[in-house]
Amino acid sequence: DAITATVTGTSATAARLNTINGKTNVAVVATGVQAITGDASDVITLLTAHKADPSQITIDEDYTVTVSGDVTVDQANTIVLDTAGTADFTGKITDSAASLLNGNGISTKLAAATSSTNGEGDAGANIEVTSGTVTAAQAHLIADATTGTVDFVVGISDSATNLLNNDTISTDLAQATGSNAGEGDDGLNIEVASGTVSVTQLNAIKGATSGTITAAISASAEDLAGLDTGAGDAITATVTGTSATAARL
Protein backbone atom coordinates (compact mmCIF):
# COMPACT_ATOMS: atom_id res chain seq x y z
CA ASP A 1 0.00 0.00 0.00
CA ALA A 2 1.11 3.56 -0.71
CA ILE A 3 0.68 5.01 2.77
CA THR A 4 2.53 8.27 3.42
CA ALA A 5 3.41 7.88 7.09
CA THR A 6 4.97 10.64 9.20
CA VAL A 7 6.10 9.73 12.70
CA THR A 8 5.42 12.40 15.31
CA GLY A 9 7.17 12.63 18.66
CA THR A 10 10.88 12.75 19.42
CA SER A 11 11.54 9.15 20.43
CA ALA A 12 10.68 5.70 19.11
CA THR A 13 11.82 2.13 19.30
CA ALA A 14 13.55 0.62 16.30
CA ALA A 15 11.02 -2.22 16.37
CA ARG A 16 8.10 0.24 16.01
CA LEU A 17 9.75 2.05 13.15
CA ASN A 18 10.40 -1.26 11.40
CA THR A 19 6.76 -2.23 11.85
CA ILE A 20 5.59 1.06 10.33
CA ASN A 21 8.01 0.62 7.42
CA GLY A 22 6.46 -2.77 6.72
CA LYS A 23 3.00 -1.25 6.29
CA THR A 24 3.76 0.91 3.24
CA ASN A 25 5.77 1.07 0.03
CA VAL A 26 6.31 4.83 0.50
CA ALA A 27 9.33 6.08 2.45
CA VAL A 28 8.39 6.65 6.10
CA VAL A 29 9.23 10.13 7.41
CA ALA A 30 10.77 9.91 10.89
CA THR A 31 13.04 12.95 10.82
CA GLY A 32 11.49 14.27 14.03
CA VAL A 33 12.63 11.21 15.99
CA GLN A 34 15.72 12.26 17.93
CA ALA A 35 16.14 9.20 20.15
CA ILE A 36 15.97 5.56 19.03
CA THR A 37 16.10 2.51 21.30
CA GLY A 38 16.18 -1.20 20.57
CA ASP A 39 18.25 -4.34 20.39
CA ALA A 40 21.01 -4.73 17.83
CA SER A 41 18.91 -6.77 15.41
CA ASP A 42 16.08 -4.22 15.30
CA VAL A 43 18.44 -1.25 15.03
CA ILE A 44 20.43 -2.85 12.19
CA THR A 45 17.18 -3.69 10.35
CA LEU A 46 16.12 -0.04 10.69
CA LEU A 47 19.45 1.27 9.43
CA THR A 48 19.39 -1.12 6.48
CA ALA A 49 16.01 0.33 5.45
CA HIS A 50 17.29 3.85 6.06
CA LYS A 51 20.35 3.34 3.85
CA ALA A 52 18.50 1.47 1.09
CA ASP A 53 18.45 3.01 -2.39
CA PRO A 54 15.91 4.50 -2.45
CA SER A 55 15.64 4.97 1.30
CA GLN A 56 12.64 3.28 2.90
CA ILE A 57 12.65 5.46 6.00
CA THR A 58 14.18 8.88 6.65
CA ILE A 59 15.52 9.62 10.11
CA ASP A 60 17.26 12.51 11.83
CA GLU A 61 20.94 12.88 10.97
CA ASP A 62 22.07 13.23 14.58
CA TYR A 63 19.69 10.97 16.48
CA THR A 64 20.90 9.31 19.66
CA VAL A 65 20.65 5.54 19.89
CA THR A 66 20.56 3.22 22.89
CA VAL A 67 21.20 -0.40 21.99
CA SER A 68 20.19 -3.14 24.42
CA GLY A 69 21.77 -6.57 24.45
CA ASP A 70 25.11 -7.63 23.01
CA VAL A 71 26.45 -6.46 19.65
CA THR A 72 29.30 -7.55 17.42
CA VAL A 73 31.95 -5.00 16.57
CA ASP A 74 30.57 -4.89 12.99
CA GLN A 75 27.10 -4.02 14.30
CA ALA A 76 28.45 -1.43 16.73
CA ASN A 77 30.49 0.19 13.96
CA THR A 78 27.50 0.32 11.59
CA ILE A 79 25.32 1.92 14.26
CA VAL A 80 27.88 4.53 15.30
CA LEU A 81 28.70 5.60 11.75
CA ASP A 82 25.04 6.08 10.79
CA THR A 83 24.48 9.03 13.10
CA ALA A 84 26.23 12.20 14.16
CA GLY A 85 24.63 11.68 17.57
CA THR A 86 25.86 9.46 20.37
CA ALA A 87 25.48 5.72 20.77
CA ASP A 88 25.09 3.86 24.05
CA PHE A 89 25.62 0.10 24.13
CA THR A 90 24.04 -1.12 27.36
CA GLY A 91 25.14 -4.72 26.80
CA LYS A 92 28.58 -5.72 25.54
CA ILE A 93 30.56 -5.44 22.35
CA THR A 94 31.33 -9.12 22.02
CA ASP A 95 33.60 -10.51 19.32
CA SER A 96 36.76 -12.46 18.59
CA ALA A 97 40.25 -11.09 19.17
CA ALA A 98 40.78 -11.16 15.40
CA SER A 99 37.80 -8.85 14.84
CA LEU A 100 38.68 -6.44 17.64
CA LEU A 101 42.33 -6.10 16.68
CA ASN A 102 44.33 -5.13 13.63
CA GLY A 103 47.75 -6.60 14.26
CA ASN A 104 49.16 -4.76 17.25
CA GLY A 105 46.45 -2.08 17.19
CA ILE A 106 42.70 -2.06 17.74
CA SER A 107 40.56 -2.38 14.64
CA THR A 108 39.09 0.74 13.05
CA LYS A 109 35.64 -0.67 13.82
CA LEU A 110 36.36 -0.97 17.54
CA ALA A 111 37.94 2.49 17.51
CA ALA A 112 34.76 3.96 16.00
CA ALA A 113 32.45 1.99 18.29
CA THR A 114 34.25 3.24 21.40
CA SER A 115 34.58 6.80 20.04
CA SER A 116 38.36 6.68 19.65
CA THR A 117 37.90 7.77 16.04
CA ASN A 118 35.02 10.25 15.84
CA GLY A 119 33.77 10.89 19.36
CA GLU A 120 30.27 9.54 18.72
CA GLY A 121 30.65 5.99 19.99
CA ASP A 122 30.34 4.65 23.52
CA ALA A 123 33.54 5.40 25.42
CA GLY A 124 32.31 3.27 28.31
CA ALA A 125 31.25 0.21 26.32
CA ASN A 126 31.85 -3.16 27.96
CA ILE A 127 33.92 -5.47 25.75
CA GLU A 128 34.08 -9.26 25.69
CA VAL A 129 36.84 -11.00 23.73
CA THR A 130 35.04 -14.26 23.02
CA SER A 131 37.79 -16.27 21.32
CA GLY A 132 41.49 -16.18 20.59
CA THR A 133 44.38 -15.50 22.93
CA VAL A 134 45.99 -12.08 22.99
CA THR A 135 49.39 -10.77 23.98
CA ALA A 136 49.78 -8.46 26.96
CA ALA A 137 50.23 -5.49 24.60
CA GLN A 138 47.08 -6.36 22.65
CA ALA A 139 45.10 -6.78 25.87
CA HIS A 140 46.38 -3.40 27.01
CA LEU A 141 45.11 -1.80 23.79
CA ILE A 142 41.63 -3.29 24.15
CA ALA A 143 41.42 -2.29 27.79
CA ASP A 144 42.55 1.23 26.87
CA ALA A 145 39.81 1.53 24.24
CA THR A 146 37.10 1.82 26.89
CA THR A 147 36.42 2.92 30.43
CA GLY A 148 34.01 -0.01 30.70
CA THR A 149 34.78 -3.57 31.71
CA VAL A 150 36.76 -6.00 29.58
CA ASP A 151 36.46 -9.78 29.65
CA PHE A 152 39.09 -11.91 27.93
CA VAL A 153 37.34 -15.28 27.78
CA VAL A 154 40.42 -17.26 26.71
CA GLY A 155 43.10 -15.06 28.21
CA ILE A 156 46.64 -13.79 27.60
CA SER A 157 49.54 -15.82 26.27
CA ASP A 158 52.89 -14.05 26.20
CA SER A 159 56.55 -14.28 27.12
CA ALA A 160 57.87 -13.67 30.60
CA THR A 161 59.69 -10.64 29.19
CA ASN A 162 56.44 -9.01 28.09
CA LEU A 163 54.49 -9.93 31.21
CA LEU A 164 57.06 -8.66 33.67
CA ASN A 165 59.09 -5.59 34.55
CA ASN A 166 61.86 -7.06 36.67
CA ASP A 167 60.03 -8.54 39.69
CA THR A 168 56.71 -6.76 39.08
CA ILE A 169 54.14 -7.08 36.34
CA SER A 170 54.58 -5.03 33.17
CA THR A 171 52.53 -1.94 32.37
CA ASP A 172 50.76 -3.90 29.63
CA LEU A 173 49.70 -6.64 32.03
CA ALA A 174 48.71 -4.11 34.70
CA GLN A 175 46.36 -2.36 32.29
CA ALA A 176 44.96 -5.62 30.94
CA THR A 177 44.10 -6.84 34.45
CA GLY A 178 42.85 -3.50 35.71
CA SER A 179 45.69 -3.16 38.21
CA ASN A 180 46.26 0.41 37.02
CA ALA A 181 42.78 1.85 36.51
CA GLY A 182 40.39 -0.94 37.41
CA GLU A 183 38.93 -1.27 33.92
CA GLY A 184 40.65 -4.45 32.70
CA ASP A 185 39.84 -8.08 33.43
CA ASP A 186 40.96 -8.99 36.93
CA GLY A 187 39.98 -12.61 36.36
CA LEU A 188 41.79 -13.32 33.11
CA ASN A 189 43.80 -16.47 32.52
CA ILE A 190 47.52 -15.90 31.89
CA GLU A 191 49.99 -18.20 30.17
CA VAL A 192 53.71 -17.59 30.44
CA ALA A 193 54.42 -19.00 27.00
CA SER A 194 58.21 -18.63 27.01
CA GLY A 195 61.11 -17.48 29.13
CA THR A 196 62.04 -18.23 32.71
CA VAL A 197 60.42 -16.88 35.84
CA SER A 198 61.42 -16.79 39.48
CA VAL A 199 59.06 -17.53 42.33
CA THR A 200 58.83 -13.80 43.07
CA GLN A 201 57.96 -13.04 39.44
CA LEU A 202 55.38 -15.81 39.18
CA ASN A 203 53.78 -14.63 42.41
CA ALA A 204 53.56 -11.12 40.95
CA ILE A 205 51.70 -12.48 37.91
CA LYS A 206 49.41 -14.57 40.11
CA GLY A 207 48.67 -11.53 42.26
CA ALA A 208 47.39 -9.63 39.22
CA THR A 209 44.48 -11.97 38.53
CA SER A 210 42.02 -14.37 40.08
CA GLY A 211 42.19 -16.44 36.88
CA THR A 212 44.37 -19.46 36.22
CA ILE A 213 48.09 -19.30 35.59
CA THR A 214 49.94 -21.60 33.19
CA ALA A 215 53.72 -21.55 33.52
CA ALA A 216 56.89 -23.58 33.97
CA ILE A 217 59.37 -22.87 36.75
CA SER A 218 62.55 -24.42 38.09
CA ALA A 219 63.73 -23.66 41.61
CA SER A 220 64.69 -25.28 44.88
CA ALA A 221 62.07 -27.05 46.93
CA GLU A 222 62.35 -24.33 49.57
CA ASP A 223 61.72 -21.58 47.03
CA LEU A 224 58.90 -23.43 45.24
CA ALA A 225 57.10 -23.86 48.55
CA GLY A 226 56.65 -20.10 48.53
CA LEU A 227 54.56 -20.07 45.36
CA ASP A 228 51.18 -18.35 45.70
CA THR A 229 49.64 -20.47 42.95
CA GLY A 230 47.10 -23.14 43.76
CA ALA A 231 45.66 -26.46 42.61
CA GLY A 232 43.68 -24.67 39.90
CA ASP A 233 46.83 -23.39 38.21
CA ALA A 234 48.81 -25.37 35.63
CA ILE A 235 52.32 -24.96 36.98
CA THR A 236 55.01 -27.28 35.63
CA ALA A 237 57.43 -27.21 38.57
CA THR A 238 60.93 -28.68 38.42
CA VAL A 239 62.72 -29.05 41.75
CA THR A 240 66.41 -28.23 41.55
CA GLY A 241 68.97 -29.42 44.05
CA THR A 242 69.74 -32.91 45.32
CA SER A 243 67.82 -32.97 48.57
CA ALA A 244 64.43 -31.87 49.87
CA THR A 245 62.12 -32.61 52.78
CA ALA A 246 59.01 -34.66 52.14
CA ALA A 247 56.99 -31.79 53.60
CA ARG A 248 58.38 -29.36 51.03
CA LEU A 249 57.63 -31.70 48.16
Side-chain angles (χ1 to χ4, degrees), residues 93-113:
I93 297 175
T94 176
D95 221 317
S96 66
S99 296
L100 296 169
L101 292 162
N102 181 14
N104 287 321
I106 62 171
S107 68
T108 55
K109 292 179 179 180
L110 180 58

Side-chain angles (χ1 to χ4, degrees), residues 161-225:
T161 299
N162 292 334
L163 294 170
L164 292 161
N165 180 14
N166 295 319
D167 286 339
T168 62
I169 60 173
S170 67
T171 300
D172 284 336
L173 183 56
Q175 187 67 20
T177 58
S179 300
N180 279 343
E183 283 125 19
D185 181 359
D186 61 4
L188 64 79
N189 302 321
I190 303 172
E191 178 186 35
V192 184
S194 61
T196 59
V197 291
S198 68
V199 169
T200 298
Q201 291 172 326
L202 195 53
N203 284 346
I205 294 172
K206 179 61 180 177
T209 180
S210 59
T212 61
I213 305 297
T214 301
I217 184 171
S218 296
S220 68
E222 182 178 3
D223 287 343
L224 289 173

Side-chain angles (χ1 to χ4, degrees), residues 4-231:
T4 302
T6 300
V7 181
T8 59
T10 57
S11 63
T13 67
R16 290 291 191 194
L17 294 175
N18 290 335
T19 298
I20 296 166
N21 184 45
K23 295 182 180 296
T24 179
N25 59 21
V26 177
V28 176
V29 179
T31 51
V33 176
Q34 299 171 5
I36 296 172
T37 58
D39 63 27
S41 177
D42 286 336
V43 173
I44 292 296
T45 298
L46 174 63
L47 300 190
T48 300
H50 168 55
K51 294 190 292 185
D53 186 15
S55 178
Q56 298 171 15
I57 183 166
T58 57
I59 53 181
D60 188 54
E61 292 181 353
D62 61 352
Y63 65 90
T64 62
V65 58
T66 301
V67 185
S68 58
D70 294 344
V71 296
T72 66
V73 72
D74 280 346
Q75 291 173 324
N77 179 68
T78 297
I79 292 166
V80 166
L81 296 184
D82 188 70
T83 179
T86 59
D88 181 18
F89 301 105
T90 61
K92 300 186 296 291
I93 297 175
T94 176
D95 221 317
S96 66
S99 296
L100 296 169
L101 292 162
N102 181 14
N104 287 321
I106 62 171
S107 68
T108 55
K109 292 179 179 180
L110 180 58
T114 57
S115 77
S116 299
T117 296
N118 57 21
E120 290 146 11
D122 184 353
N126 298 322
I127 301 172
E128 181 180 55
V129 186
T130 56
S131 61
T133 57
V134 294
T135 66
Q138 289 171 330
H140 182 174
L141 287 167
I142 294 173
D144 262 359
T146 181
T147 58
T149 62
V150 181
D151 180 15
F152 299 95
V153 173
V154 178
I156 289 176
S157 179
D158 212 332
S159 66
T161 299
N162 292 334
L163 294 170
L164 292 161
N165 180 14
N166 295 319
D167 286 339
T168 62
I169 60 173
S170 67
T171 300
D172 284 336
L173 183 56
Q175 187 67 20
T177 58
S179 300
N180 279 343
E183 283 125 19
D185 181 359
D186 61 4
L188 64 79
N189 302 321
I190 303 172
E191 178 186 35
V192 184
S194 61
T196 59
V197 291
S198 68
V199 169
T200 298
Q201 291 172 326
L202 195 53
N203 284 346
I205 294 172
K206 179 61 180 177
T209 180
S210 59
T212 61
I213 305 297
T214 301
I217 184 171
S218 296
S220 68
E222 182 178 3
D223 287 343
L224 289 173
L227 281 173
D228 293 334
T229 54

